[in-house]
Amino acid sequence: MNPEDFPDAAVDVEVVDPESLYRRIEDGESVTLLDVRMESTYDEWRIEGDAVESINVPYVHFLDDVDEGVLDRIPDDRPVTVVCAKGGASRFVAGKLAERGYDVDNLADGMNGWARIYEAVEVTGYDGAGTLLQYQRPSSGCLGYLLVDGGEAAVIDPLRAFADRYVDDAEARGAELVYALDTHIHADHVSGVRDLVDAGVEGVLPAMAVERGVTYAEDVTLATHGDGFDVGAATIETVYTPGHTTGMTSYLVDDAFLATGDGLFVESVARPDLEGGDAGAPDAARTLYESLQERVLTLPDDTLVGGAHASDVAVPAADGTYTATLADLVERMDALTMDEGAFVDLILSNMPPRPANYEEIIATNLGRNAVDDADAFELELGPNNCAASRDSLAGD
């Protein structure tokens, strides 16, 4: 049902905006959520946090007379925030509960509103030239990076939904956005590179990624291993690290920070099956092993690493970013010290479901599939699932 299809309740219900709810969760405040989406959707992705209690009761249970057994599942001794996909079903359910004396409010715009939260956190552990920010999208775990120095800025792994944000954030820091770099052809979100190219920013794609059939290659700069891009006094160096995809490329920011895209995360490594499918996954896994061993783990131990995603089991660093040094990752992630055979066996046995709509998202990022902003936003709702495992690659 669409939000406008739900009747208004007899009782007015307070509305909480997604940003306020996010702040409460980040501050460790106890939060009780009643998620009224269908169980299958709820199981795929939901709002989580250390102090979050989430209860799933689909809205269909509230359309007619509400069963007492349903009401027994909903706490009446503390405030409850009701959540749905777009805000209509939750408003209706919250009204029903308010009529019965429950202390409830409604999350504005539901999970769609939650997906519009995009935080910029400074990476204080970065000791290269300029300032480095990590963008965090809590709804999907997507991460991106903005480097600012000497009146210039570059963004790595921008999202189309927030293309204007990168320009504005650079300007707010007295800089012009000069580069927009993608680490690979993403399968979980729609890239913002082309939108930024249209705004006058130089787009950069890995040259190997173009071999998958990118239709707009003539509009961007194609980067090969060892290429450098100057941003003020800082340099972004291309480090070719295939495995997750044939074109997967990391970017070494001023010899201090490695943006690893989907090759390596702070809690896991890449899944190898999104380009070549199950049949191509073993060879891709072996390629990933070589990339990690020969191109990533050969960097200095104090090199700071940040991926393009963080799952709900990832633990942030002291500065609130999902970053860690190579030495820390090697110490806590068994997958980085295994031999090749054990590594391949492990990651092939620990792959979650593929990202929702991933084939259509890939086609969109290749330029073969034209979608408007609203459809692009809908395509990428849900978990990213680009890692080989959410929690089983780390050591004890």
Side-chain angles (χ1 to χ4, degrees):
M1 296 177 69
N2 294 319
E4 59 270 17
D5 293 336
F6 289 92
D8 291 329
V11 178
D12 289 334
V13 176
E14 183 178 347
V15 175
V16 60
D17 63 88
E19 290 78 11
S20 296
L21 178 62
Y22 175 74
R23 293 293 171 212
R24 289 166 56 196
I25 293 172
E26 285 296 288
D27 289 343
E29 181 180 336
S30 294
V31 172
T32 301
L33 304 178
L34 173 63
D35 194 316
V36 298
R37 295 174 299 152
M38 301 308 290
E39 183 178 359
S40 58
T41 305
Y42 173 83
D43 288 342
E44 287 180 355
W45 72 305
R46 55 186 177 271
I47 299 172
E48 297 181 293
D50 290 341
V52 173
E53 178 188 7
S54 181
I55 304 162
N56 179 223
V57 181
Y59 71 85
V60 293
H61 293 288
F62 297 89
L63 293 178
D64 298 313
D65 292 335
V66 184
D67 186 89
E68 288 299 321
V70 170
L71 296 175
D72 288 342
R73 297 181 56 193
I74 304 168
D76 59 6
D77 59 347
R78 56 189 180 276
V80 175
T81 296
V82 189
V83 181
C84 70
K86 298 181 180 180
S90 56
R91 182 182 66 243
F92 169 75
V93 171
K96 286 271 193 173
L97 293 172
E99 291 175 0
R100 290 165 169 80
Y102 285 82
D103 182 3
V104 294
D105 56 31
N106 176 40
L107 181 63
D109 299 321
M111 294 299 288
N112 278 20
W114 185 253
R116 295 194 181 279
I117 298 175
Y118 201 52
E119 294 290 303
V121 184
E122 183 174 351
V123 184
T124 60
Y126 167 72
D127 62 1
T131 299
L132 183 67
L133 304 179
Q134 182 182 74
Y135 288 103
Q136 302 174 356
R137 191 181 194 183
S139 65
S140 63
C142 285
L143 306 174
Y145 301 91
L146 183 74
L147 173 68
V148 182
D149 188 60
E152 295 184 328
V155 62
I156 298 173
D157 286 334
L159 310 185
R160 174 173 166 179
F162 302 96
D164 292 341
R165 170 77 179 273
Y166 310 116
V167 176
D168 293 344
D169 283 357
E171 289 181 351
R173 290 163 174 79
E176 177 187 2
L177 189 65
V178 293
Y179 293 114
L181 306 96
D182 260 345
T183 54
H184 65 297
I185 301 300
H186 292 276
D188 69 302
H189 67 260
V190 178
S191 167
V193 165
R194 280 187 293 164
D195 285 63
L196 290 169
V197 167
D198 290 342
V201 179
E202 182 174 345
V204 179
L205 287 183
M208 286 297 295
V210 174
E211 295 191 8
R212 296 180 68 180
V214 170
T215 64
Y216 51 93
E218 67 279 2
D219 299 327
V220 298
T221 297
L222 303 181
T224 58
H225 180 71
D227 287 348
F229 302 89
D230 293 333
V231 180
T235 298
I236 300 176
E237 180 183 348
T238 302
V239 182
Y240 182 46
T241 51
H244 175 65
T245 66
T246 52
M248 180 68 234
T249 295
S250 301
Y251 294 108
L252 183 60
V253 180
D254 216 39
D255 291 324
F257 173 80
L258 187 68
T260 50
D262 288 2
L264 175 64
F265 312 105
V266 298
E267 77 281 24
S268 185
V269 299
R271 66 184 302 159
D273 65 323
L274 294 183
E275 182 176 339
D278 292 339
D283 283 344
R286 284 185 280 272
T287 300
L288 175 62
Y289 180 82
E290 293 174 2
S291 293
L292 291 173
Q293 294 296 323
E294 298 175 7
R295 293 274 171 84
V296 176
L297 296 176
T298 53
L299 294 171
D301 287 347
D302 61 354
T303 303
L304 201 62
V305 171
H309 301 109
S311 74
D312 56 359
V313 302
V315 178
D319 62 2
T321 65
Y322 293 95
T323 58
T325 65
L326 276 177
D328 288 339
L329 293 180
V330 170
E331 181 178 354
R332 69 190 192 212
M333 200 180 300
D334 288 347
L336 299 181
T337 57
M338 292 177 173
D339 63 32
E340 182 181 282
F343 175 89
V344 171
D345 289 344
L346 180 62
I347 67 170
L348 292 180
S349 66
N350 284 283
M351 288 190 291
R354 293 182 172 102
N357 305 315
Y358 80 100
E359 291 177 316
E360 191 170 356
I361 291 173
I362 290 172
T364 301
N365 286 330
L366 289 172
R368 300 174 182 172
N369 183 34
V371 296
D372 61 23
D373 289 344
D375 288 341
F377 184 81
E378 289 286 335
L379 276 178
E380 61 192 24
L381 294 177
N384 61 71
N385 287 346
C386 285
S389 171
R390 297 166 72 88
D391 58 5
S392 61
L393 297 188
D396 294 333

